[in-house]
Amino acid sequence: MLNAPRLSIRHGRLIDPAGGHDAVADIHLAEGRVLAIGAAPSGFQPDRTLDARGQVVCPGFVDLCARVREPGLEQKATIASEGRAAAASGVTTLCCPPDTRPVIDNPAVARLIHQISKRHGLTRVLPIGAMTVGLEGKSITEMAALKLAGCPALGQADRPIRDTQVQRRALEYAATFGLTLFLLPLDPELSAGGCAHEGVVSTRLGLPGIPEAAETVAVARDLALAEQTGARIHFRGLSTARGVEMLAEARARGVRASGDVALHQLFLTEHDLEHFDANCHLVPPLRTPADRDALRAALADGVLTAVCSDHQPHDPDAKLGPFPETAPGLSGLETVLPLALRLVEEGVLDLMGMIERLTVGPAAILERDLGRLAPGTAADLCVFDPEALWTPSPATWISQGHNTPFMGHELRGRVSWTLLGGRIVFER
Amino acid sequence: MTTPNPQLDAQGRLKHFLTIDGLSRELLTEILDQSEGFLGVSRQAVKKVPLCRGKVVANLFFETSTRTRTTFELAAKRLSADVLNLNISTSATAKGETLLDTLRNLEAMHVDMFVVRHASSGTAHFMAAHAAPHVSIVNAGDGRHAHPTQAMLDMLTIRRHKPDFSRLRVAIVGDILHSRVARSQMIALRTLGVPDVRVIAPRTLLPTRVEEAFGVTAYHDLSEGVRDADVVIMLRIQRERMNSALLPSEHEYFQLFGLTEERLSTARPDAIVMHPGPINRGVEMDSQVADGRRSVILEQVTNGIAVRMAVMSMCLGNQHLGNSQSQEEATHA
């Protein structure tokens, strides 16, 4: 980033979990990289100085799952629109699942996404390649080529492979190239036709349910296959207490498995469906308060090393219909920071731990040198005011998808500046 | 914070009738009392009252139904309303029109009330949330969720035979999992104060945590479940449940869960037998029971018209009150 300006960010509370740094300190950036922390090198003359007094300065957030909908679903969102939303949310790297149209099952689509995102330059978009051609769960993709085209991991988005033998072969083949598999732990047969957690609320509302066992059966299968094949797997979006318990047991045994949770799963539960709010139609479904508490505990004790937005912007029509007929997913980028800060407010994590799960935690899963601030690293930064109160409204929402149950709810914590490779890509 | 009940107006009166859930015992009793009053209309030479003259009611059925649609139509006509019957499954939505488009188009024709049946749970709530302020929605069955007028006609039928709900033991037998009728019945029975509501079915046809969700007791043995019951409600079994993973065969279902005189003998001697119809004879019950002295199945049909008249007149009447009130408020503002 030779065209990046020389910048100093001064007087902010600098938190870098990777380096264990938490103190008020200045940070100086040049040529798109971190030049120095603390005193400026002699002779350094910044083009601009940002005053971060009272604010937190931390690495830019790394989001393991955010759909940008491009190519193919531009009526819902584009790389440009969601890049703006990401930048406004402090997200400097996001992974987009392969369920674009066409599917990211060949290097050309992966390269196209890289090219478009580089052209806009708002956030780094890493495409997750498909494990099987067309996400159909039948033939494995050219995984080595996808890796060369810049896919840090492979996955099936929300279309898990039904055939366990194909799943096994996909894990084995990926392991050959050291590729991590992002797996949505959801048994396709047990979850078929379901639109809500199978429990008291779905029973009362007559909504076809997705049982807890849909997750635990899938976790059990994939852990067994990871153990058998030696592949490295990552469970994307765990939602049950039993699921995280099984992950913890397997990790303790040395299985190469990790997991994350979508931020909204740490706050919303099945009870939020009671008035058929289509914005709460999600996959995996919102589970019980006990599951939510177990997910929080797993995040606190390090079983889950990342949180993500599971951002799924939709056009308004996708959510206008009877609950089971609406498209699942919520627009989550812009609530990443306030929800994460609420975890701190509610004592689940301290501020350092929270930032860790948004930065170096997900970066480690991607095995990329991201999410940290040390001299020489890419100057991807987020500067935020942890006390700023704001209320999301359609007028101020940046993502093209307005489908969030948090619209109109007062939130605390707002991004002031986001820097990508030393360039300011967002400022309030 | 409690979200306000979407089917009540600011004064707590019925604006829409979407579900029994969240309605008070007083309101349910008012519906039953009003229904009693309408029972007489059907016996008059001129079977009409002018309560809803000038109102337009549209029956919007996205699922085929003859019985329910006919009783709603009759109810509306006896209230002197104009009725439109729209069989949507073969028209607009088949051409790609959304539910909301259909609603908006019909609203533009100045319909005052939509009676809606749809295969998806929550449809009536969705329509109520998007309907114009002067329009009422009555749920005529949405997915597995609710069929509140059916439940209320069952409550009326029960009350006419067993006036004291607080002393009743009611057994509901059959496919509880897929039944919107059973869900509405369970909530209505518990709201009206019935202390002992039982559901009887194999585990494949009982929803998860049904006891906790509805305050009922689950049984898997029919004779045990109907023991000392005052009311036995049989549910319809859809044939497609057979030979799937839910039930092995009609034969085995009838052997274990079909109602016969012999199995009914454990119930109280004056127990009544109900069924929302149409009956699969030899599957849910044998003909001896269906046509027997304890069967009140045809009374249910008759009561259905009165209950629907009560609900429609209450919603449309309150609509009128609500409108004049808001006009008054606007004048004074």
Side-chain angles (χ1 to χ4, degrees):
Chain A
M1 292 277 178
L2 293 173
N3 59 349
R6 283 172 297 176
L7 285 170
S8 288
I9 304 171
R10 302 198 59 200
H11 313 302
R13 178 179 169 188
L14 193 89
I15 302 182
D16 176 31
H21 190 101
D22 181 358
V24 172
D26 299 342
I27 183 166
H28 311 281
L29 319 173
E31 295 180 358
R33 303 206 161 260
V34 176
L35 184 67
I37 293 170
S42 62
F44 178 74
Q45 286 294 326
D47 300 318
R48 188 176 169 191
T49 299
L50 309 180
D51 185 356
R53 208 178 301 261
Q55 309 215 29
V56 172
V57 180
C58 67
F61 303 144
V62 179
D63 192 341
L64 292 178
C65 187
R67 284 166 168 85
V68 288
R69 302 298 192 192
E70 191 177 356
L73 291 159
E74 289 83 357
Q75 80 278 12
K76 290 184 186 289
T78 60
I79 290 174
S81 72
E82 301 323 283
R84 280 193 293 277
S89 310
V91 173
T92 49
T93 299
L94 63 82
C95 297
C96 69
D99 55 353
T100 45
R101 290 185 194 164
V103 165
I104 310 172
D105 61 2
N106 64 78
V109 184
R111 285 196 198 101
L112 175 71
I113 290 169
H114 274 300
Q115 281 165 9
I116 300 172
S117 61
K118 269 188 188 154
R119 189 169 75 230
H120 295 300
L122 294 161
T123 190
R124 191 176 288 107
V125 179
L126 300 178
I128 302 299
M131 290 163 67
T132 59
V133 175
L135 295 173
E136 286 178 0
K138 290 174 183 157
S139 317
I140 58 172
T141 50
E142 292 178 348
M143 296 181 181
L146 285 166
K147 185 179 180 182
L148 273 175
C151 297
L154 304 176
Q156 280 286 115
D158 57 1
R159 286 175 241 172
I161 296 172
R162 283 183 146 80
D163 186 324
T164 305
Q165 186 67 279
V166 173
Q167 179 85 341
R168 176 206 166 162
R169 297 302 181 205
L171 262 63
E172 280 177 340
Y173 194 71
T176 313
F177 310 104
L179 273 162
T180 299
L181 285 320
F182 278 19
L183 306 175
L184 178 71
L186 204 61
D187 181 272
E189 305 293 347
L190 285 174
S191 57
C195 63
H197 169 66
E198 187 177 297
V200 176
V201 175
S202 69
T203 286
R204 204 160 168 103
L205 296 181
L207 292 172
I210 299 175
E212 179 200 55
E215 178 162 307
T216 50
V217 164
V219 169
R221 176 186 83 157
D222 292 340
L223 285 174
L225 292 175
E227 204 160 4
Q228 171 85 33
T229 60
R232 190 170 178 282
I233 62 170
H234 174 73
F235 289 119
R236 252 258 53 256
L238 282 158
S239 69
T240 66
R242 186 74 189 110
V244 286
E245 189 185 316
M246 291 162 75
L247 173 63
E249 285 164 8
R251 280 166 68 96
R253 269 203 325 279
V255 179
R256 300 175 74 206
S258 54
D260 71 52
V261 59
L263 274 156
H264 54 256
Q265 289 280 0
L266 302 165
F267 296 94
L268 305 172
T269 68
E270 58 176 339
H271 297 287
D272 290 289
L273 268 56
E274 273 168 2
H275 290 282
F276 295 103
D277 180 359
N279 287 323
C280 291
H281 180 189
L282 305 168
V283 172
L286 296 171
R287 303 284 188 182
T288 67
D291 289 310
R292 177 199 56 197
D293 294 346
L295 292 166
R296 287 175 162 215
L299 195 65
D301 63 22
V303 173
L304 302 177
T305 50
V307 290
C308 71
S309 68
D310 200 3
H311 178 67
Q312 297 190 51
H314 282 296
D315 51 309
D317 286 349
K319 290 288 188 184
L320 272 180
F323 188 93
E325 295 180 13
T326 55
L330 59 71
S331 179
L333 276 171
E334 283 155 89
T335 50
V336 163
L337 177 68
L339 292 184
L341 284 170
R342 200 181 285 176
L343 290 174
V344 178
E345 193 180 317
E346 295 178 9
V348 178
L349 293 165
D350 59 16
L351 192 55
M352 172 82 87
M354 181 279 272
I355 293 173
E356 182 180 353
R357 282 154 186 79
L358 280 169
T359 56
V360 71
I365 291 160
L366 294 169
E367 296 179 307
R368 293 280 170 115
D369 186 21
L370 295 166
R372 64 196 191 98
L373 296 177
T377 60
D380 293 355
L381 283 94
C382 171
V383 182
F384 65 85
D385 179 349
E387 298 302 325
L389 290 173
W390 63 288
T391 303
S393 74
T396 56
W397 197 253
I398 295 169
S399 164
Q400 201 166 312
H402 287 195
N403 46 304
T404 169
F406 298 104
M407 197 69 81
H409 292 234
E410 189 176 68
L411 303 171
R412 186 186 294 274
R414 216 162 187 200
V415 172
S416 304
W417 288 281
T418 301
L419 286 82
L420 177 70
R423 285 181 305 107
I424 296 172
V425 289
F426 175 79
E427 67 182 313
R428 191 167 304 284
Chain B
M1 196 184 81
T2 317
T3 313
N5 190 324
Q7 49 191 342
L8 302 179
D9 66 14
Q11 285 71 42
R13 295 174 308 222
L14 207 59
K15 174 173 168 52
H16 308 291
F17 195 47
L18 312 174
T19 171
I20 306 284
D21 212 354
L23 298 185
S24 66
R25 185 185 298 191
E26 292 69 30
L27 187 52
L28 297 192
T29 305
E30 187 189 341
I31 294 172
L32 295 179
D33 292 344
Q34 295 232 14
S35 304
E36 292 273 3
F38 284 117
L39 279 170
V41 176
S42 306
R43 291 192 284 269
Q44 290 168 192
V46 178
K47 299 181 178 60
K48 265 188 191 290
V49 286
L51 285 173
C52 297
R53 184 181 292 158
K55 297 286 186 182
V56 180
V57 175
N59 281 326
L60 211 51
F61 277 57
F62 296 87
E63 273 187 340
T64 50
S65 155
T66 308
R67 189 177 306 216
T68 305
R69 193 190 54 72
T70 307
T71 53
F72 269 109
E73 183 179 349
L74 267 178
K77 284 180 170 166
R78 285 184 187 174
L79 291 168
S80 307
D82 295 320
V83 184
L84 286 171
N85 286 314
L86 297 140
N87 190 359
I88 304 295
S89 58
T90 56
S91 60
T93 49
K95 295 176 193 160
E97 185 171 274
T98 68
L99 194 54
L100 211 51
D101 290 335
T102 306
L103 178 69
R104 293 274 177 264
N105 274 291
L106 290 164
E107 271 179 356
M109 298 175 202
H110 302 290
V111 170
D112 299 288
M113 170 178 280
F114 292 96
V115 176
V116 184
R117 167 167 288 194
H118 197 279
S120 289
S121 302
T123 299
H125 276 76
F126 171 73
M127 299 204 52
H130 291 90
H134 64 278
V135 170
S136 292
I137 307 289
V138 173
N139 187 1
D142 60 334
R144 306 174 183 183
H145 172 228
H147 195 350
T149 58
Q150 175 70 43
M152 289 311 292
L153 74 87
D154 295 331
M155 297 308 113
L156 180 63
T157 309
I158 293 171
R159 194 174 79 165
R160 290 178 65 79
H161 288 269
K162 319 268 176 192
D164 186 357
F165 282 110
S166 72
R167 300 165 67 89
L168 290 186
R169 191 170 284 136
V170 180
I172 307 172
V173 187
D175 184 0
I176 313 290
L177 176 65
H178 299 93
S179 178
R180 51 196 173 209
V181 176
R183 282 179 175 78
S184 291
Q185 285 168 340
M186 289 188 280
I187 298 169
L189 288 164
R190 297 293 289 134
T191 306
L192 288 166
V194 175
D196 187 353
V197 180
R198 303 159 172 197
V199 288
I200 307 162
R203 286 180 191 275
T204 48
L205 295 183
L206 283 178
T208 301
R209 298 172 75 180
V210 64
E211 294 184 304
E212 191 185 335
F214 295 102
V216 300
T217 313
Y219 288 78
H220 310 298
D221 179 294
L222 181 61
S223 303
E224 196 55 40
V226 299
R227 189 175 302 284
D228 299 324
D230 301 282
V231 178
V232 180
I233 303 174
M234 303 303 294
L235 298 175
R236 184 174 161 76
I237 290 282
Q238 303 288 338
R239 300 228 169 211
E240 63 262 28
R241 312 286 178 229
M242 308 291 169
N243 305 319
S244 66
L246 290 168
L247 289 174
S249 66
E250 287 184 7
H251 172 73
E252 180 154 309
Y253 182 80
F254 183 69
Q255 289 296 312
L256 298 173
F257 296 96
L259 193 64
T260 60
E261 283 290 352
E262 190 193 339
R263 294 206 183 95
L264 190 55
S265 66
T266 60
R268 287 178 58 87
D270 60 347
I272 56 170
V273 175
M274 301 168 67
H275 191 294
I279 308 165
N280 286 313
R281 290 168 187 260
V283 180
E284 295 121 22
M285 59 171 70
D286 65 17
S287 288
Q288 221 183 336
V289 176
D291 305 327
R293 65 184 171 83
R294 296 197 261 199
S295 167
V296 295
I297 295 168
L298 292 175
E299 277 179 53
Q300 288 175 265
V301 180
T302 308
N303 292 342
I305 299 169
V307 163
R308 284 162 183 144
M309 287 173 78
V311 167
M312 289 170 137
S313 64
M314 284 169 76
C315 289
L316 288 169
N318 292 336
Q319 191 182 73
H320 169 72
L321 286 172
N323 285 347
S324 45
Q325 199 153 24
S326 44
Q327 274 165 14
E328 211 169 291
E329 280 162 11
T331 316
H332 291 296

